[in-house]
Amino acid sequence: MSLLLLALALLLCGALLPLCLRGRPGAPARAGTYAAAAAALAGLSGALPVLLSGEPATVSFPWSVPLGSFSLVLDPLAAFFLVPLFLLTGLGAVYGAGYLKAYEGRKDPALPWAAFNLLTAAMLLVFTASNAVLFLLGWELMAAASFLLVLFEHEKEQARKAGFIYLAAGGAGALLLMAMFALLGAGAPSMDFSSFSPPAGGTASAVFLLALAGFGLKAGFIPLHVWLPEAHPAAPSHVSAVMSGVMIKTGVYGLIRVLAFLRPWPEWWGWLLLGLGLVSCLGGALFALAQHELKRVLAYSSIENVGIILLALGLGVVAAACGADRLASLAFAGALLHVFNHALFKGLLFMGAGAVLHAAGTGELEALGGLSKRMPAAAALFLAGSAAACALPPLNGFAGEFLVYIGAFRALNAPGPVAIAGAAAGLTLATAGALAAAAFARAYGVAFLGEPRTERAAGAHAPGGLMAGPMWILAVLCLGSGLLAPLLLGPLAFAVGSGFGPYYGFLGGLEAMAPFLYVSAGGFALLGIVAIAAAKRRAFLGGREPAVAGTWDCGYAAPSARMQYGASSFAQPLTDFFQPLLRKIGRYPVISEYFPAKASFSLEAQAVFYNSVYMPAAARLRDLAFRFSWLQHGRLQIYILYIVVTLIGLLLWKL
Amino acid sequence: MEIIKPFSQYLAAMLLAPLLPGIINRVKAFFGGRRGQPALQLYFDLYKLFRKTPVYSRTATWVFRAGPVTGVCALVTALLVLPFAGRPSFLAFEGDFIFLLYLLGLARFATVLAALDTGSAFEGMGASREVQFAVFAEPAFFLGLAALARVGGQTSLSGMFAALTPETWRVAAPVLALLTAAFFIVLLAENSRVPADDPNTHLELTMIHEVMVLDHSGPDLAYILYGAALKLWLFAALIASMVLPRRTGSWAGDSALFLLAVLGVAVAVGVVESVLARLRLTKVPYLLITAFAFSALALIFQVGR
């Protein structure tokens, strides 16, 4: 625990120092990086022992804030979320040191570094706070710090728009959470989590729904996702990695804590979670396929992965409500394992996308191509991340989904509703898996393979060591945690135990052990067979030099890079099929002359929910608000009068 | 003796797989009134290709070279999971068919990326179609396996097929018949056979799988052809074990029967290919959705049974 406090102190120093050292060139970045890296080391060495031993630690300080107490709890569940947090922020800081160099002279480095460390500190508080006031403080700090980072390139209109949407979503979420804590703490002596007594009946459901909406706005599942594809791409890439890898998981974390508190669960909660997970899973993968910007593809893939986590939670809750504890434990374990795995591969992918932005100056897929020759190592690492995101064995994305699948199949042989939930969950995973594979094959193939489509892509260069190093580490972790998944089951069982009850933790670890050992064996077999086949291939070649020629384009001798299959054309069969959902807007040239002149064609992926749900709703809300505009005079005296009247009213009511 | 059995089963699958495309070709030749290639043609082709020097495009990178190796290895690993004649495989564990499904996904991912690596518009076209059909084929295949899992109350592929007996056909014939139909459609689409794709077409614009591998040559092409044969074997073996659950008590008898059934599936593919025209590309998803509907119906029947 003391190591965690040390990490917190280091992070706060890391947030203040860059601002103080503003005058000296290079100093703010150095201070920010070292503080973040040191805090990550301290935090990891604080969290890992808890995860390995399963022994929780607590610390509490007096705090003068009304209803608040500075009490932190580090139990295995918190530690399970802290490990990816510190992994990604530590590596992200190193990466960021390289990434932000490109902005030297154009941007003040102090603010991004201060905000980055503040964001990490805030997430540390969110994961460990055991008092509602402290939790909300961390929550709001997290939103504020990340808001600053989203606005990093505030001269771009896109980033400003993203910032405003993000601010609105964060504010709404926090309001819902305050309402939730008010409901929970209504009869309790203090706002410490331990003093809350579990509500029953309608209140429990109200708390659950408030938590689902409030935390959901952070987790970013559909339909609460509109801010995510705007905000994540706008932030600098190491921040996108942290936001997608860890920050959206604070929503999952909060939801799990509330669920754990509100037992026993009614069955319909599970169905609601399952339904939301299903929609996010399929929708996220489908929208990812239609995006034209690399980081937006990744952002939508994050929505898909949050959907997978939610789907697993929903399956678990339905199963637990129907008394099928074994498969509930498998589903919960799958959900948590996917939280960890997604952090690793999504961090890697965003860093890879950052390397592309850094080298080519754009993430527009249609402007890229051929990067694999210009940045071979980064391209290979991005490929590893993509394969993990498609849940391809032997990488880590497979492990978490595999647990959910086993849970779903156990469910199939159970009676009634559990079987339906299992079939729905498994089917969603299979379909979303195929869609995600299409989306990532498209993103990787168009950006990294083939010939460069523009000068900028042709002039791209490999990222420096500071940026490549963290990506290597994450890729090795992706492979390692895929191949050695059985080793993760111990900590996972502790985390499930502290999140959902020791019974589930024990069962989950037990049930998953045998299949995981086999999958691990299968992964090693695959690698062995690949090694043999590659060696055989070399033997077949027998040292002969392969001949080199142009690509066979069916006899056409002068193919140009523009003739390659691009991002739009690759996805077109699928996006056309799902056009009613995607609502792409295409502008096609009409050919009227015998000798058609220069024409242009454009295809735009729409933010469907933003345009057709949120904008009309916001317009309605604004109209409503204008009806009360007579309250607003713009005169200070009247506002003060309002305040005085309210205070007197409150005083009278309390008397 | 018991130890040798799984090995010899595995070896038999690996060695006999290239026979299936040969059988299909012979059946098609028979329907077309031609003499046709020898049934062992693919073996000769593989032998020839393995000794050739490959030609690589200037555009291609290591992804292009890794594609065929990864693809064939994913299938060789997938065969580790596949039961043989209703007898357990090397790797039989809970949820093993998920592993198999994702290995097939890995093979597809590798092939698609290798195709995109050439920068050819035609290969991109094939890759795009391949991932599109996968989106419809995977749910159908998955749901079919789910229904099969429910039939035997088993969660491993070996368990599912071991639980399958002639008795099962007597009590759950509609379920198994629907599943056979669904798996057969998935087999046709996944292995790029008529009516989803035509392996004999010679117009690149209409190809799917063949166009993705246009640029591969030498040992790489040999790996691709061999991988395709293994994939055909995998699906044919699933269908064969379903239609002809083991009857005799002896290992040799079961195995011989199973091999005959696998060859029978190949003959069926050849017959379909001879009597059916190819579907328009835009209609292929509907074919696969039909397979999905069959699987879903089978699951519903099974749950209601």
Side-chain angles (χ1 to χ4, degrees):
Chain A
M1 197 68 202
S2 50
L3 281 166
L4 222 56
L5 290 174
L6 173 68
L8 189 61
L10 280 168
L11 286 169
L12 292 178
C13 287
L16 284 176
L17 268 179
L19 295 175
C20 302
L21 296 173
R22 227 173 184 151
R24 301 190 214 165
R30 238 172 295 140
T33 313
Y34 284 132
L41 286 180
L44 277 180
S45 34
L48 280 176
V50 175
L51 214 46
L52 293 176
S53 68
E55 295 293 327
T58 54
V59 67
S60 192
F61 298 105
W63 203 25
S64 59
V65 176
L67 298 174
S69 70
F70 197 92
S71 36
L72 304 178
V73 173
L74 179 62
D75 62 358
L77 182 69
F80 196 81
F81 280 84
L82 284 176
V83 169
L85 167 69
F86 285 120
L87 269 177
L88 279 193
T89 52
L91 293 172
V94 177
Y95 177 93
Y99 186 77
L100 291 178
K101 262 191 197 149
Y103 293 91
E104 250 170 39
R106 286 191 289 143
K107 292 262 169 207
D108 176 14
L111 196 60
W113 280 112
F116 183 78
N117 283 325
L118 194 64
L119 174 64
T120 313
M123 284 195 277
L124 171 58
L125 278 186
V126 166
F127 285 139
T128 49
S130 68
N131 175 281
V133 179
L134 187 63
F135 182 89
L136 281 174
L137 178 82
W139 191 262
E140 290 287 40
L141 266 183
M142 179 171 84
S146 49
F147 170 70
L148 289 178
L149 289 163
V150 169
L151 281 183
F152 177 63
E153 292 188 273
H154 52 81
E155 67 279 359
K156 292 186 182 163
E157 207 214 316
Q158 186 97 24
R160 290 201 299 275
K161 180 187 162 200
F164 281 123
I165 299 177
Y166 184 55
L167 201 61
L175 277 180
L176 290 166
L177 291 185
M178 279 179 203
M180 181 200 79
F181 281 123
L183 267 184
L184 276 177
S190 80
M191 289 302 267
D192 280 351
F193 292 164
S194 50
S195 68
F196 291 163
S197 54
T203 323
S205 291
V207 168
F208 170 71
L209 289 177
L210 283 172
L212 188 63
F215 288 124
L217 271 167
K218 191 59 73 180
F221 51 75
I222 295 177
L224 302 176
H225 68 289
V226 278
W227 62 273
L228 198 153
E230 307 293 332
H232 286 202
S237 292
H238 61 295
V239 181
S240 316
V242 172
M243 284 173 81
S244 250
V246 191
M247 203 188 74
I248 56 172
K249 311 293 171 43
T250 57
V252 175
Y253 172 81
L255 201 56
I256 291 177
R257 284 283 189 219
V258 171
L259 272 180
F261 189 66
L262 294 178
R263 262 180 313 192
W265 308 301
E267 200 183 312
W268 68 267
W269 292 8
W271 287 107
L272 184 59
L273 289 170
L274 193 78
L276 288 170
L278 188 148
V279 172
S280 307
C281 214
L282 295 176
L286 192 59
F287 287 128
L289 191 63
Q291 300 308 312
H292 291 265
E293 211 265 337
L294 195 53
K295 280 171 95 177
R296 284 181 78 93
V297 174
L298 299 181
Y300 272 106
S301 152
S302 291
I303 297 176
E304 181 218 340
N305 282 287
V306 165
I308 292 175
I309 296 165
L310 218 57
L311 197 72
L313 285 180
L315 178 64
V317 170
V318 171
C322 295
D325 285 334
R326 282 161 176 273
L327 60 103
S329 63
L330 278 173
F332 291 145
L336 279 186
L337 190 56
H338 201 67
V339 165
F340 177 69
N341 287 332
H342 176 247
L344 293 184
F345 67 68
K346 196 45 70 65
L348 171 60
L349 283 169
F350 265 113
M351 289 183 188
V356 172
L357 281 178
H358 191 260
T362 176
E364 284 297 323
L365 290 175
E366 304 285 12
L368 296 172
L371 293 181
S372 169
K373 278 202 168 150
R374 286 152 188 88
M375 37 198 303
L381 296 171
F382 192 92
L383 178 57
S386 305
C390 300
L392 297 178
L395 290 146
N396 64 346
F398 182 69
E401 289 196 28
F402 181 65
L403 278 188
V404 188
Y405 268 122
I406 306 187
F409 265 88
R410 291 270 183 92
L412 270 180
N413 290 319
V418 187
I420 298 171
L427 191 59
T428 310
L429 278 181
T431 316
L435 280 172
F440 277 100
R442 168 180 177 267
Y444 184 79
V446 174
F448 289 92
L449 302 177
E451 294 288 348
R453 290 176 177 77
T454 54
E455 290 293 318
R456 287 206 280 188
H461 55 89
L466 280 178
M467 284 166 73
M471 291 171 63
W472 275 106
I473 296 177
L474 282 175
V476 168
L477 285 175
C478 278
L479 184 64
S481 58
L483 279 176
L484 304 175
L487 294 182
L488 296 179
L489 281 178
L492 185 65
F494 283 131
V496 173
S498 82
F500 300 94
Y503 178 56
Y504 290 122
F506 173 70
L507 266 184
L510 200 68
E511 299 283 337
M513 187 47 100
F516 260 34
L517 283 174
Y518 275 110
V519 167
S520 176
F524 277 112
L526 176 65
L527 288 188
I529 293 171
V530 167
I532 294 172
K536 270 280 175 207
R537 179 176 167 279
R538 185 161 298 176
F540 284 133
L541 287 181
R544 282 167 294 154
E545 260 317 291
V548 176
T551 294
W552 169 247
D553 248 337
C554 305
Y556 188 67
S560 81
R562 301 282 303 160
M563 291 165 63
Q564 293 174 95
Y565 242 47
S568 314
S569 38
F570 186 82
Q572 190 243 349
L574 276 170
T575 49
D576 275 6
F577 196 88
F578 293 104
Q579 170 68 7
L581 294 172
L582 291 169
R583 306 199 195 161
K584 293 174 298 173
I585 297 180
R587 277 175 276 278
Y588 300 85
V590 181
I591 297 170
S592 52
E593 312 265 329
Y594 288 117
F595 299 100
K598 196 171 174 183
S600 74
F601 156 76
S602 74
L603 195 62
E604 203 179 330
Q606 295 289 302
V608 178
F609 277 87
Y610 182 73
N611 291 347
S612 18
V613 180
Y614 284 89
M615 285 312 276
R620 197 61 73 73
L621 202 65
R622 202 180 46 214
D623 288 347
L624 198 69
F626 268 117
R627 295 220 191 128
F628 294 93
S629 58
W630 52 269
L631 282 169
Q632 304 274 358
H633 303 269
R635 282 163 68 180
L636 195 60
Q637 293 92 324
I638 295 188
Y639 291 128
I640 293 176
L641 182 69
Y642 288 160
I643 294 172
V644 171
V645 168
T646 313
L647 283 178
I648 290 175
L650 282 175
L651 200 65
L652 287 177
W653 178 55
K654 263 294 168 196
L655 281 174
Chain B
M1 187 58 201
E2 280 306 312
I3 308 275
I4 305 173
K5 281 178 187 173
F7 279 100
S8 45
Q9 289 173 359
Y10 190 64
L11 265 184
M14 298 264 282
L15 290 178
L16 293 178
L19 191 59
L20 298 187
I23 304 264
I24 295 177
N25 276 334
R26 291 296 288 194
V27 172
K28 283 169 75 177
F30 170 78
F31 272 81
R34 293 176 280 117
R35 273 187 60 213
Q37 306 165 337
L40 299 180
Q41 185 62 43
L42 186 53
Y43 293 95
F44 304 140
D45 287 349
L46 290 178
Y47 179 68
K48 179 184 71 185
L49 286 171
F50 273 128
R51 289 179 308 146
K52 284 203 159 196
T53 310
V55 183
Y56 291 124
S57 158
R58 270 183 285 273
T59 308
T61 60
W62 65 272
V63 173
F64 180 77
R65 296 166 203 219
V69 175
T70 315
V72 79
C73 293
L75 278 151
V76 171
T77 315
L79 281 190
L80 286 176
V81 173
L82 188 75
F84 186 97
R87 282 164 200 279
S89 56
F90 281 114
L91 273 179
F93 56 98
E94 184 176 8
D96 54 1
F97 55 93
I98 300 298
F99 187 57
L100 180 132
L101 208 63
Y102 276 80
L103 281 173
L104 292 181
L106 175 65
R108 178 180 302 117
F109 196 68
T111 317
V112 163
L113 286 187
L116 288 173
D117 198 17
T118 61
S120 148
F122 294 101
E123 300 205 22
M125 201 179 285
S128 157
R129 291 167 184 167
E130 176 89 3
V131 297
Q132 183 205 4
F133 297 157
V135 167
F136 299 100
E138 278 197 9
F141 191 40
F142 172 83
L143 208 60
L145 288 172
L148 199 60
R150 172 108 187 179
V151 169
Q154 296 286 333
T155 45
S156 86
L157 211 52
S158 298
M160 284 181 216
F161 285 107
L164 220 56
T165 57
E167 177 63 16
T168 329
W169 265 99
R170 222 173 48 72
V171 292
V175 178
L176 292 183
L178 279 170
L179 284 180
T180 311
F183 282 3
F184 194 67
I185 296 177
V186 173
L187 175 147
L188 294 177
E190 284 274 330
N191 291 286
S192 42
R193 316 298 313 189
V194 173
D197 185 10
D198 186 355
N200 285 350
T201 181
H202 43 249
L203 181 61
E204 290 88 343
L205 272 175
T206 63
M207 296 177 177
I208 300 170
H209 188 264
E210 304 303 310
V211 75
M212 281 202 295
V213 302
L214 269 182
D215 246 48
H216 287 286
S217 52
D220 294 328
L221 185 58
Y223 275 162
I224 287 172
L225 291 178
Y226 184 55
L230 288 181
K231 194 171 178 185
L232 188 59
W233 176 278
L234 195 146
F235 280 95
L238 286 183
I239 295 175
S241 330
M242 191 144 63
V243 233
L244 216 63
R246 59 178 164 166
R247 285 148 199 272
T248 65
S250 82
W251 178 69
D254 281 348
S255 301
L257 209 59
F258 169 75
L259 288 178
L260 272 180
V262 171
L263 296 186
V265 175
V267 171
V269 173
V271 172
V272 166
E273 216 150 283
S274 307
V275 301
L276 270 189
R278 192 184 158 182
L279 282 175
R280 265 175 62 189
L281 277 172
T282 46
K283 301 283 183 228
V284 175
Y286 300 110
L287 178 74
L288 288 166
I289 290 172
T290 312
F292 178 80
F294 284 168
S295 295
L297 266 181
L299 183 61
I300 292 169
F301 282 178
Q302 184 55 34
V303 172
R305 200 162 64 83

